[in-house]
């Protein structure tokens, strides 16, 4: 097995990010079709090794380019995660239990994404219903990490992360219900911003959730790609009731007070490689003139218990009401052991539901209060470094062992989902196995600007590692 896999080469895409590709298309240096054809050729070269594409849609994508694309990222190829509707393509939700039919229309966020001018080449892989933090399956081949194909690509936007990290496309759709933008960004050495709740169009299922924990976004290799994409979404649909956000183009001169958190609410210490990476980032921030001080956790262990229960509630709802939500062909006997185990866990503790929902709703107040004395909070993105494939597989038995591993891994990210606050993972660290380590920054509601400004500053001070080097 080849440890490192990438598709960068001397073609229309080169090593350009999405802003660079859009500029080349606008200048006439390349055409949108040439960019799409280069991405398709790259996908065909590396996807047999990575297994990151759920459903290619190349012919339709190329045919659509007969009309000149318009938008801030016009002509840039991309993929959409397989839980978000693209008209004419099924949304399989990463599950053998779903026999989806082609979607009759775009999801609201798909419309927002397309308004930027991106060219959708197909659907990217994800674990079943997005419940796992690795893009692995009980009976199917996993999605592999381009930095080392023996390791997890993270999840649940793992397919998109693998495609961006390997250079197939410079930007890809992701969404985040418990860390699913930030976790694969950390695993694959990418920039992953989870916006504030309601900053972009809500996921289709949000209206039926007691608490909307899902945020849509993208995975990129550069901070400016994330900034340009987010600004373009706001030009299309300004967020109601949030601080307006235009294009953030670089760092700020403002020096920040930054709270430092090293360990999660689980009470299990962060592993040594991750801790070293966070402390090194804290030192870098200090050298840049920022004031970094350790702060307490905004919530205690009860938060994680409430979030685990909500996780189980979502799995129970999927397992038992999937036919109503996903169509009459849904077959609950084909869901994977993680979905079934979570559903059983919910049944045993169903009585906790009102308390868990109340606790998660209260987390917004606790989260926002954490920024009374600091501008940002820096922490690990993950509780330990990216594991090898199999460690978090839904096939691990017993369920209690697999779920324990999963909770420890994804312990830092869920608070932003429950509270609605924005956060970004930046690829600032390396593990002793030479794998990316993500560093996590959180901000108060509506303050994506400060997150992007610090991201620009850190990217300039410590350029992100490139897989092709």
């Amino acid at each position: 097995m080849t440890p490192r896999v990438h598709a960068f080469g001397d073609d229309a895409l080169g090593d350009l990010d999405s802003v660079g590709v859009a500029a080349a298309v606008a200048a006439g240096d390349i055409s949108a079709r040439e960019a799409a054809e280069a991405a398709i050729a790259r996908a065909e070269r590396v996807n047999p090794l990575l297994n990151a594409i759920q459903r290619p849609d190349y012919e339709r994508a190329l045919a659509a380019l007969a009309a000149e694309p318009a938008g801030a990222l016009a002509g840039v190829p991309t993929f959409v995660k397989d839980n978000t509707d693209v008209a004419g393509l099924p949304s399989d939700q990463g599950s053998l239990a779903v026999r989806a039919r082609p979607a009759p229309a775009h999801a609201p966020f798909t419309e927002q994404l397309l308004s930027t001018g991106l060219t959708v080449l197909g659907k990217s892989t994800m674990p079943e219903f997005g419940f796992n933090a690795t893009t692995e399956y009980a009976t199917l081949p996993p999605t592999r990490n381009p930095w080392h194909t023996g390791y997890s690509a993270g999840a649940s936007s793992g397919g998109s992360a693998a495609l961006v990290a390997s250079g197939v496309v410079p930007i890809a759709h992701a969404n985040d219900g418990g860390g699913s933008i930030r976790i694969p960004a950390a695993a694959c050495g990418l920039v992953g911003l989870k916006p504030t709740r309601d900053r972009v169009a809500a996921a289709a299922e949000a209206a039926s959730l007691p608490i909307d924990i899902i945020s849509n976004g993208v995975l990129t290799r550069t901070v400016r790609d994330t900034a340009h994409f987010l600004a373009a979404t706001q030009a299309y649909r300004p967020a109601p009731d949030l601080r307006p956000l235009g294009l953030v183009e670089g760092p700020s001169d403002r020096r920040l007070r930054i709270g430092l958190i090293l360990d999660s609410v689980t009470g299990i210490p962060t592993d040594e490689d991750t801790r070293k990476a966070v402390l090194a980032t804290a030192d870098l921030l200090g050298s840049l003139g920022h004031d970094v001080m350790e702060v307490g956790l905004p919530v205690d262990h009860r938060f994680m218990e409430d979030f685990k229960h909500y996780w189980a509630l979502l799995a129970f709802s999927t397992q038992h009401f999937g036919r109503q939500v996903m169509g009459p062909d849904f077959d609950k006997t084909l869901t994977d052991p993680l979905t079934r185990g979570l559903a059983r866990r919910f049944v045993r503790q169903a009585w906790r539901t009102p308390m868990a929902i109340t606790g998660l709703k209260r987390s917004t107040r606790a989260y926002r209060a954490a920024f009374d004395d600091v501008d940002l909070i820096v922490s690990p993105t993950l509780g330990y470094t990216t594991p090898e494939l199999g460690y978090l597989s839904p096939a691990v038995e017993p369920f209690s062992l697999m779920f324990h591993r999963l909770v420890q891994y994804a312990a830092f990210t869920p608070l932003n989902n429950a509270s609605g606050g924005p956060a970004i993972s930046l690829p600032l660290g390396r593990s002793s196995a030479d794998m990316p380590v993500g560093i996590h920054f959180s901000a108060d509601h509506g303050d994506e600007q400060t997150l992007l400004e610090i991201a620009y500053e850190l990217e300039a001070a410590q350029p992100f590692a490139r897989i092709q080097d």
Side-chain angles (χ1 to χ4, degrees):
M1 184 182 298
T2 305
R4 186 177 290 194
V5 173
H6 73 79
F8 289 98
D10 186 17
D11 56 17
L13 295 176
D15 62 358
L16 297 171
D17 65 1
S18 62
V19 174
V21 173
V25 171
D29 297 334
I30 62 173
S31 68
R33 184 179 184 90
E34 287 172 327
E37 288 175 339
I40 291 167
R42 290 181 174 199
E44 291 177 339
R45 188 157 71 250
V46 301
N47 192 58
L49 296 169
L50 298 178
N51 187 37
I53 298 172
Q54 173 67 18
R55 194 175 297 271
D57 194 30
Y58 303 150
E59 290 185 10
R60 279 204 320 160
L62 293 173
L65 289 174
E68 198 69 25
L73 300 177
V76 178
T78 194
F79 284 81
V80 171
K81 185 176 173 180
D82 197 36
N83 61 358
T84 300
D85 283 351
V86 174
L89 290 179
S91 294
D92 295 315
Q93 306 287 334
S95 177
L96 294 174
V98 177
R99 297 182 179 91
R101 296 170 179 146
H106 295 316
F109 180 77
T110 304
E111 295 279 6
Q112 195 168 23
L113 180 143
L114 292 173
S115 75
T116 70
L118 292 170
T119 301
V120 176
L121 299 182
K123 291 291 200 75
S124 60
T125 54
M126 59 178 288
E128 183 167 275
F129 306 117
F131 291 148
N132 208 337
T134 184
T135 306
E136 296 182 58
Y137 310 94
T139 59
L140 297 174
T143 295
R144 298 181 179 275
N145 192 316
W147 288 90
H148 191 305
T149 52
Y151 283 73
S152 168
S156 64
S157 308
S160 288
L163 292 168
V164 175
S166 65
V168 172
V169 290
I171 187 170
H173 168 241
N175 49 33
D176 192 317
S180 298
I181 294 172
R182 295 158 289 154
I183 292 170
C188 292
L190 302 173
V191 177
L193 172 67
K194 184 207 91 68
T196 306
R197 182 185 291 142
D198 298 328
R199 172 65 75 185
V200 299
E205 57 269 41
S208 62
L209 295 177
I211 302 171
D212 178 13
I213 60 172
I214 303 169
S215 291
N216 279 294
V218 289
L219 289 160
T220 70
R221 296 191 297 268
T222 64
V223 175
R224 74 172 185 170
D225 272 6
T226 296
H228 277 252
F229 177 82
L230 194 57
T233 68
Q234 299 306 285
Y236 175 77
R237 171 197 172 272
D241 305 322
L242 286 177
R243 183 186 313 175
L245 180 69
L247 178 59
V248 181
E249 298 187 85
S252 169
D253 293 332
R254 182 167 65 111
R255 298 300 85 186
L256 306 174
R257 287 175 55 81
I258 300 176
L260 170 65
I261 291 175
L262 290 171
D263 296 316
S264 75
V265 294
T266 65
I268 296 178
T270 303
D271 77 338
E272 184 178 357
D273 279 359
T274 303
R275 182 178 292 266
K276 284 181 178 179
V278 177
L279 289 172
T281 299
D283 288 343
L284 177 58
L285 289 164
S287 74
L288 294 170
H290 300 286
D291 185 10
V292 183
M293 74 290 296
E294 286 199 49
V295 295
L297 289 162
V299 292
D300 61 24
H301 71 280
R302 289 171 295 185
F303 168 81
M304 205 62 196
E305 292 304 314
D306 291 340
F307 195 87
K308 289 189 308 188
H309 187 77
Y310 195 70
W311 199 346
L313 166 62
L314 298 181
F316 173 84
S317 300
T318 300
Q319 181 76 4
H320 292 278
F321 303 106
R323 295 188 68 185
Q324 292 92 313
V325 176
M326 283 168 275
D329 294 332
F330 177 81
D331 185 351
K332 70 178 183 180
T333 67
L334 297 179
T335 56
D336 74 16
L338 175 57
T339 300
R340 296 196 301 271
L342 284 168
R344 290 193 300 270
R345 189 180 197 279
F346 173 79
V347 170
R348 291 195 300 270
Q349 300 183 0
W351 57 272
R352 290 196 72 251
T353 303
M355 292 182 293
I357 291 173
T358 299
L360 293 179
K361 288 181 175 179
R362 287 176 177 161
S363 70
T364 298
R365 185 185 309 159
Y367 176 89
R368 301 201 68 177
F371 298 97
D372 288 346
D373 298 317
V374 297
D375 302 296
L376 296 174
I377 291 174
V378 61
S379 73
T381 303
L382 294 163
Y384 52 88
T385 55
T386 304
E388 294 185 28
L389 288 167
Y391 188 77
L392 295 175
S393 167
V396 168
E397 294 181 341
F399 167 78
S400 58
L401 172 62
M402 187 267 293
F403 191 53
H404 173 76
R405 291 174 174 178
L406 185 54
V407 169
Q408 303 310 317
Y409 187 54
F412 285 95
T413 52
L415 177 57
N416 300 81
N417 299 90
S419 67
I424 193 169
S425 181
L426 299 174
L428 293 166
R430 305 293 293 176
S431 74
S432 54
D434 199 31
M435 293 293 289
V437 175
I439 307 300
H440 192 260
F441 291 84
S442 298
D444 197 4
H445 284 214
D447 196 14
E448 287 90 346
Q449 178 170 336
T450 301
L451 290 174
L452 290 168
E453 287 170 347
I454 199 70
Y456 272 118
E457 187 173 5
L458 291 168
E459 182 183 34
Q462 185 176 303
F464 305 151
R466 304 187 335 149
I467 199 171
Q468 64 269 44
D469 290 343

